[in-house]
């Protein structure tokens, strides 16, 4: 392997834009080891990468990943507790540590990841501006580099990395996530601009950049309503859809020459489920896929697992677009009072449906809210529930 690098821009105004979560999960899918260090992290940022099916498969294959987090701002106790839960969930193959030195005048501010290839002859490394937050992974305008290294360069990378971690550990700067000193400092990281963080020298604009909301979207067609088709032997969690929804609403890319998703830098969507009581599920980072047999365009929906559906019925799902490739969604089974009303709404708003077709449509938030203002999905404030942990 020859050394190579590529500049990656995370800015959806640019047609070639890729999001940090998309390239990280693509790298994880092909790696046999890795590590990362991020200045700031949130529960949702952790969930998008380390509670993904790609990372679960990485761990099931016996691989390990080391993650170092900073707590000088943003990263709070809830995030650290969740990091511990993820480590346990993956059998200790995700090793999470905190870099912190109360006596140091500067802050911990890196954003870097590296991955070892199965052949052992190199790695893919990402160095850039994005943190392990939803804003850093998708929402913010970020720039980072994607570098592939040959064996000699990778060995030098590992010597530098391991030398740094060893020195920091001996200096007492590397801690467990449940270290009392770490938790006490993380308690100070209230959402927004941390007074203590500013005193320690964090630039005010750096903090506020982690808290920005998505740019408000035009209301038209932000809502998608669809019955969930039954997938033989797969339950209801596999949501199949027409190509127009797959590409136009969810912004997945399809290689027109082959009719399948693009494999390099594959686009992903960020999903967060809403319960009927208004509670929010964990963030889901999902790639699209196409069935090799039915040719259906599909996507996994965690909240559809175990939904109650009577014989002859189908659950219904409502999506609300909140930003570029980011969505809230809510799934309703046969026992929900919303189910029949949503199916009727979809039929009325899609007159082209034939009699045997399952109800589906796109609509504006205003249209749906005029009929069902109490729908939990519509009562969530703001264009994005939790860019960086503010929503919980």
């Amino acid at each position: 392997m020859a050394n190579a690098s590529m500049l990656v821009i995370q800015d959806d105004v640019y047609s070639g834009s890729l999001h940090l979560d998309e390239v990280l999960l693509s790298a994880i899918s092909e790696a046999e080891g890795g590590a990362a260090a991020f200045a700031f992290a949130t529960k949702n940022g952790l969930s998008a990468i380390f509670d993904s099916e790609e990372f679960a498969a990485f761990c099931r294959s016996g691989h390990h990943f080391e993650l170092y987090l900073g707590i000088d701002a943003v990263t709070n106790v809830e995030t650290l507790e969740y990091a511990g839960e993820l480590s346990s969930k993956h059998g200790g193959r995700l090793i999470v540590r905190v870099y912190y030195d109360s006596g140091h005048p500067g802050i911990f501010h890196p954003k870097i990841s590296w991955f070892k290839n199965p052949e052992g002859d190199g790695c893919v490394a990402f160095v850039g501006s994005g943190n392990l937050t939803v804003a850093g992974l998708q929402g913010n305008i970020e720039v980072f580099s994607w570098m592939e290294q040959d064996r000699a360069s990778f060995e030098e990378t590992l010597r530098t990395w391991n030398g740094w971690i060893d020195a920091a550990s001996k200096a007492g700067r590397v801690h467990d996530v449940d270290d009392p000193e770490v938790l006490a400092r993380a308690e100070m990281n209230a959402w927004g601009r941390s007074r203590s963080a500013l005193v320690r020298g964090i630039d005010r604009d750096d903090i506020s950049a982690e808290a920005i909301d998505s740019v408000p979207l035009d209301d038209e067609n932000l809502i998608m309503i669809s019955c969930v088709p039954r997938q033989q032997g797969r339950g209801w969690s596999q949501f199949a859809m027409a190509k127009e929804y797959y590409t136009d609403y969810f912004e997945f890319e399809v290689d027109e020459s082959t009719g399948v998703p693009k494999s390099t830098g594959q686009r992903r969507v960020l999903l967060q489920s809403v319960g009927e009581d208004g509670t929010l599920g964990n963030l889901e980072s999902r790639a699209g896929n196409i069935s090799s047999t039915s040719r259906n365009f599909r996507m996994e929906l965690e909240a559809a697992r175990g939904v109650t559906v009577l014989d002859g019925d189908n659950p219904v799902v409502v999506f609300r677009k909140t930003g570029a490739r980011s969505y809230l969604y809510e799934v309703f089974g046969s026992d929900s009072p919303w189910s029949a009303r949503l199916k009727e709404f979809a039929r009325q708003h899609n007159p082209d449906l034939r009699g045997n077709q399952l109800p589906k449509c796109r609509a504006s938030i205003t249209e749906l809210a005029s009929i069902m203002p109490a729908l939990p999905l519509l009562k969530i404030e703001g264009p994005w529930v939790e860019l960086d942990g503010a929503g919980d």
Side-chain angles (χ1 to χ4, degrees):
M1 175 191 294
N3 291 322
S5 64
M6 180 176 70
L7 181 66
V8 182
I9 306 294
Q10 179 174 288
D11 183 353
D12 289 299
V13 72
Y14 168 53
S15 62
S17 174
L18 286 173
H19 293 170
L20 181 55
D21 69 309
E22 294 168 337
V23 292
L24 289 179
L25 287 169
S26 177
I28 285 171
S29 298
E30 300 175 0
E32 65 171 16
F38 288 97
F40 308 147
T42 60
K43 179 180 178 181
N44 271 345
L46 284 172
S47 178
I49 303 301
F50 298 106
D51 200 23
S52 65
E53 176 53 36
E54 289 81 357
F55 190 74
F58 170 92
C59 293
R60 287 196 298 268
S61 297
H63 306 320
H64 291 78
F65 194 93
E66 296 181 4
L67 176 63
Y68 296 87
L69 302 177
I71 56 169
D72 293 303
V74 178
T75 311
N76 58 23
V77 171
E78 179 189 37
T79 302
L80 297 179
E81 291 176 344
Y82 184 59
E85 293 172 10
L86 286 175
S87 180
S88 297
K89 177 178 180 178
H90 295 304
R93 298 189 182 279
L94 171 63
I95 303 161
V96 187
R97 299 286 187 264
V98 172
Y99 190 108
Y100 176 62
D101 182 1
S102 60
H104 193 274
I107 66 167
F108 185 72
H109 208 234
K111 298 96 174 175
I112 180 172
S113 307
W114 62 258
F115 302 89
K116 180 181 179 182
N117 289 335
E119 294 81 8
D121 62 351
C123 77
V124 178
F126 302 94
V127 181
S129 60
N131 275 301
L132 193 58
T133 63
V134 177
L137 293 172
Q138 272 212 357
N140 288 345
I141 297 171
E142 309 278 7
V143 178
F144 53 98
S145 59
W146 176 339
M147 301 176 291
E148 297 181 359
Q149 297 184 317
D150 61 22
R151 182 184 295 273
S153 297
F154 181 44
E155 288 176 353
E156 183 60 33
T157 293
L158 286 185
R159 278 195 293 271
T160 301
W161 176 273
N162 292 330
W164 169 51
I165 295 300
D166 183 58
S169 299
K170 290 178 180 177
R173 296 184 179 184
V174 177
H175 308 263
D176 292 334
V177 294
D178 58 356
D179 184 304
E181 181 185 11
V182 164
L183 294 176
R185 177 60 187 86
E187 283 278 6
M188 299 168 64
N189 290 336
W191 171 243
R193 298 179 179 179
S194 166
R195 177 179 176 85
S196 61
L198 294 175
V199 170
R200 287 179 57 104
I202 296 178
D203 185 87
R204 183 176 296 269
D205 291 333
D206 199 5
I207 294 295
S208 60
E210 291 298 316
I212 60 171
D213 284 341
S214 300
V215 176
L217 304 172
D218 292 335
D219 189 23
E220 185 178 4
N221 288 332
L222 293 186
I223 296 293
M224 174 182 164
I225 302 171
S226 176
C227 278
V228 180
R230 183 181 293 277
Q231 298 289 295
Q232 190 67 33
R234 289 183 172 269
W236 298 108
S237 63
Q238 279 269 357
F239 174 58
M241 69 195 92
K243 182 180 177 182
E244 64 185 275
Y245 292 105
Y246 187 84
T247 57
D248 297 347
Y249 184 72
F250 291 108
E251 303 179 51
F252 287 125
E253 293 183 307
V254 174
D255 187 329
E256 296 299 336
S257 64
T258 62
V260 300
K262 291 186 176 180
S263 57
T264 302
Q266 183 181 352
R267 284 189 169 184
R268 307 179 69 90
V269 299
L270 288 180
L271 305 173
Q272 191 166 26
S273 63
V274 180
E276 290 198 48
D277 59 356
T279 57
L280 299 172
N282 287 337
L283 207 68
E284 305 168 42
S285 179
R286 299 296 186 192
N289 65 81
I290 301 177
S291 167
S292 59
T293 53
S294 66
R295 306 302 293 172
N296 284 331
F297 295 83
R298 302 184 307 201
M299 179 176 64
E300 286 279 343
L301 300 177
E302 182 65 30
R305 298 182 187 277
V307 65
T308 300
V309 183
L310 299 177
D311 289 344
D313 196 12
N314 297 77
V316 61
V317 58
V318 182
F319 295 92
R320 172 185 168 187
K321 189 168 187 175
T322 56
R325 306 203 287 279
S326 59
Y327 307 81
L328 296 172
Y329 78 100
E330 193 166 1
V331 180
F332 303 91
S334 302
D335 55 346
S336 171
W338 295 105
S339 185
R341 296 180 64 189
L342 287 165
K343 292 174 185 177
E344 180 60 26
F345 179 93
R347 286 199 178 280
Q348 292 179 359
H349 280 72
N350 192 347
D352 294 331
L353 287 173
R354 296 188 296 273
N356 63 339
Q357 287 186 302
L358 294 174
K360 54 181 176 291
C361 76
R362 291 181 64 177
S364 71
I365 294 175
T366 302
E367 289 175 310
L368 186 58
S370 68
I371 305 297
M372 288 171 263
L375 190 71
L377 182 81
L378 301 179
K379 296 173 71 176
I380 302 295
E381 295 293 334
W384 179 250
V385 180
E386 185 185 346
L387 273 177
D388 281 328
D392 284 350

